[in-house]
Amino acid sequence: IFRLIESIEKTLDFVSNINDFKPAMVKEIFQEHTDFLKMANYSVDEVLSSLGASKKVRDILNAYWCYLGQPTDEPNVIHYFTMLHSYIIDGAVIPKGRSHQISTAILEAFEENGGEAWFNTSVKKIIVKDGCAKGVILDDGTEITANVVICNASPYNAYTKLIDSAEIPEKLKKEVNAKTLGAKGFAVFLGLNRSAEELGLVNHSYFIYPHADNRKCYELNRKIETNDVQATVCLNTAIPDCSPEGTSILYMTSIFTGDEWKNVTVENYHKTKRAFAEKMIDNFERATGIKIKEHIEEIEISTPMTYARYTDAPAGTIYGYEATKEDGIVKRIVFDLIDKGINNLYFAGGYTTRHMGYSPSYTTGDLAAKAAILAMSKEEKK
């Protein structure tokens, strides 16, 4: 399994470095990347079963399924294997200053190389004329012309809110409408008045599921009453001094795979979110034997409505578009190579070829920037 994971990663590196697709590259793919071709159209479960992996092995390797928001009988194995590679082979790392430290490091490098970053500045329109992006208009009416535009908003938001409908090709509208939004997020952030050591929190990550059948878990996650899935992290086990001495930070994440939260009314919203947060805390205590409820000093709860409000994520999704068999990582990469959509408009983030996650956010930003630079260099040569 791990030999295949390494092989897949090499193929993805090859594909990622293709700036200008040529037919001759197909021959190289067929000669040098046969493992990728054999597995490209199969799910995680299909591949692991064909390799003769036991149920115990499958249950262990499939524990990360909630990080993609889909059961392992659905997502493309290429996608899942890249995640296993990053966690198990590369190894997960947590910066001292957490994920924000990575963002500030990228910002510093960007500015050192002549970039200019504007904060608290909203774009209300992407200017598109004759099928080509020409710049943006800010909330205050300021118009900025540009050779290329890189958009981190979802294509759905871009096509429905930011670009004049007449300038959007019908095929792009159909493509977005054909996609399914991924799982919605629910999180509970806890500040505890005891240290991780005192409480017995010895692990960084806890995956808590009602059983190992992740397809069944996925279906149960459609309803608030039946959702018992959570991935919980104790940050202090990785960064001991991330909170004051004698305290600890615990945050719990669950996902909703249906549209259950649209039925929650304004009147019962606070009661519903508190009740589900309390259930998550109870489930954690029951699964681990660690008592945390009596030590909660601070608590914050975020629901799909929270993500929709603060990030403008459609329906509060934290997974972009679902990585279905019809819309998996391999097909997205191929279609992206064939057709870029609107000229000089590039998308970055979880709605693109590499799906959602911290690593894909950086990867897709890098890919979008390289594609934009290539397009500009070609234009200069004309």
Side-chain angles (χ1 to χ4, degrees):
I1 290 170
F2 283 94
R3 183 190 67 76
L4 287 173
I5 291 175
E6 291 279 24
S7 174
I8 294 305
E9 196 67 20
K10 289 178 182 177
T11 303
L12 287 175
D13 287 341
F14 168 76
V15 174
S16 296
N17 287 316
I18 297 176
N19 291 320
D20 190 11
F21 185 77
K22 294 181 174 60
M25 293 176 180
V26 174
K27 183 178 180 181
E28 183 175 349
I29 292 173
F30 273 92
Q31 289 179 338
E32 304 295 333
H33 302 278
T34 53
D35 286 337
F36 185 93
L37 294 172
K38 287 177 182 176
M39 293 187 288
N41 208 38
Y42 293 99
S43 70
V44 180
D45 284 355
E46 287 171 328
V47 170
L48 292 183
S49 295
S50 71
L51 293 171
S54 67
K55 182 180 182 303
K56 184 176 182 180
V57 168
R58 295 198 305 272
D59 288 346
I60 292 170
L61 291 179
N62 290 350
Y64 286 115
W65 75 269
C66 68
Y67 278 174
L68 298 185
Q70 287 187 278
T72 51
D73 61 2
E74 184 69 39
N76 187 280
V77 70
I78 306 297
H79 186 189
Y80 200 84
F81 273 9
T82 59
M83 181 173 64
L84 289 180
H85 188 279
S86 65
Y87 277 113
I88 299 174
I89 297 175
D90 288 341
V93 175
I94 301 171
K96 182 75 173 175
R98 288 170 261 181
S99 58
H100 183 69
Q101 186 176 3
I102 302 176
S103 300
T104 55
I106 292 173
L107 174 61
E108 288 171 7
F110 175 69
E111 292 180 329
E112 286 170 3
N113 285 278
E116 184 178 340
W118 295 3
F119 295 95
N120 301 312
T121 305
S122 298
V123 170
K124 70 176 182 181
K125 184 176 182 179
I126 297 174
I127 305 167
V128 177
K129 293 180 181 178
D130 301 322
C132 185
K134 302 289 187 180
V136 297
I137 297 176
L138 306 182
D139 260 349
D140 64 2
T142 302
E143 184 172 323
I144 302 170
T145 58
N147 293 322
V148 299
V149 174
I150 297 176
C151 179
N152 191 48
S154 72
Y156 176 82
N157 284 359
Y159 298 152
T160 59
K161 299 179 181 181
L162 299 176
I163 302 173
D164 289 339
S165 180
E167 294 289 350
I168 305 169
E170 282 301 314
K171 64 178 180 179
L172 293 183
K173 295 178 183 178
K174 290 179 180 179
E175 181 183 313
V176 167
N177 289 331
K179 293 178 182 289
T180 303
L181 288 174
K184 293 83 182 174
F186 188 104
V188 182
F189 304 89
L190 301 173
L192 307 174
N193 62 14
R194 292 289 186 277
S195 69
E197 186 178 12
E198 289 175 299
L199 292 170
L201 294 164
V202 297
N203 295 307
H204 173 266
S205 303
Y206 296 83
F207 293 98
I208 297 173
Y209 304 130
H211 42 69
D213 186 338
N214 55 64
R215 164 53 70 178
K216 190 174 291 185
C217 288
Y218 176 85
E219 297 301 333
L220 292 173
N221 280 17
R222 294 186 184 280
K223 299 289 184 181
I224 293 173
E225 311 86 64
T226 56
N227 184 349
D228 287 307
V229 163
Q230 66 175 277
T232 293
V233 165
C234 178
L235 194 57
N236 299 75
T237 56
I239 310 173
D241 60 351
C242 67
S243 63
E245 188 176 351
T247 69
S248 54
I249 296 172
L250 197 70
Y251 56 91
M252 306 169 163
T253 303
S254 189
I255 56 175
F256 284 90
T257 53
D259 295 320
E260 177 83 342
W261 280 86
K262 73 178 182 182
N263 300 320
V264 177
T265 64
V266 173
E267 291 74 21
N268 65 10
Y269 173 71
H270 291 287
K271 180 181 178 182
T272 303
K273 78 171 187 177
R274 288 189 190 120
F276 190 76
E278 187 167 347
K279 182 169 84 162
M280 289 182 72
I281 294 167
D282 289 340
N283 284 347
F284 181 84
E285 289 189 334
R286 191 179 302 111
T288 64
I290 301 171
K291 300 301 179 184
I292 59 172
K293 189 179 292 186
E294 61 197 71
H295 299 294
I296 297 173
E297 197 168 274
E298 298 285 346
I299 182 169
E300 290 289 345
I301 305 167
S302 61
T303 71
M305 280 82 159
T306 314
Y307 292 106
R309 178 185 177 187
Y310 285 100
T311 70
D312 204 15
T317 178
I318 58 173
Y319 285 92
Y321 297 124
E322 276 200 340
T324 61
K325 290 177 180 176
E326 294 75 27
D327 189 32
I329 188 170
V330 176
K331 293 181 180 178
R332 291 192 192 186
I333 290 173
V334 170
F335 287 136
D336 191 57
L337 288 170
I338 295 171
D339 187 358
K340 298 292 184 182
I342 295 173
N343 289 331
N344 294 356
L345 175 63
Y346 301 89
F347 284 94
Y351 295 85
T352 58
T353 55
R354 297 303 184 91
H355 303 282
M356 277 288 182
Y358 276 108
S359 296
S361 295
Y362 308 131
T363 303
T364 57
D366 179 61
L367 292 172
K370 287 176 178 174
I373 290 169
L374 181 66
M376 287 189 290
S377 65
K378 286 182 177 180
E379 192 64 30
E380 288 172 0
K381 292 176 181 177
K382 288 183 179 180

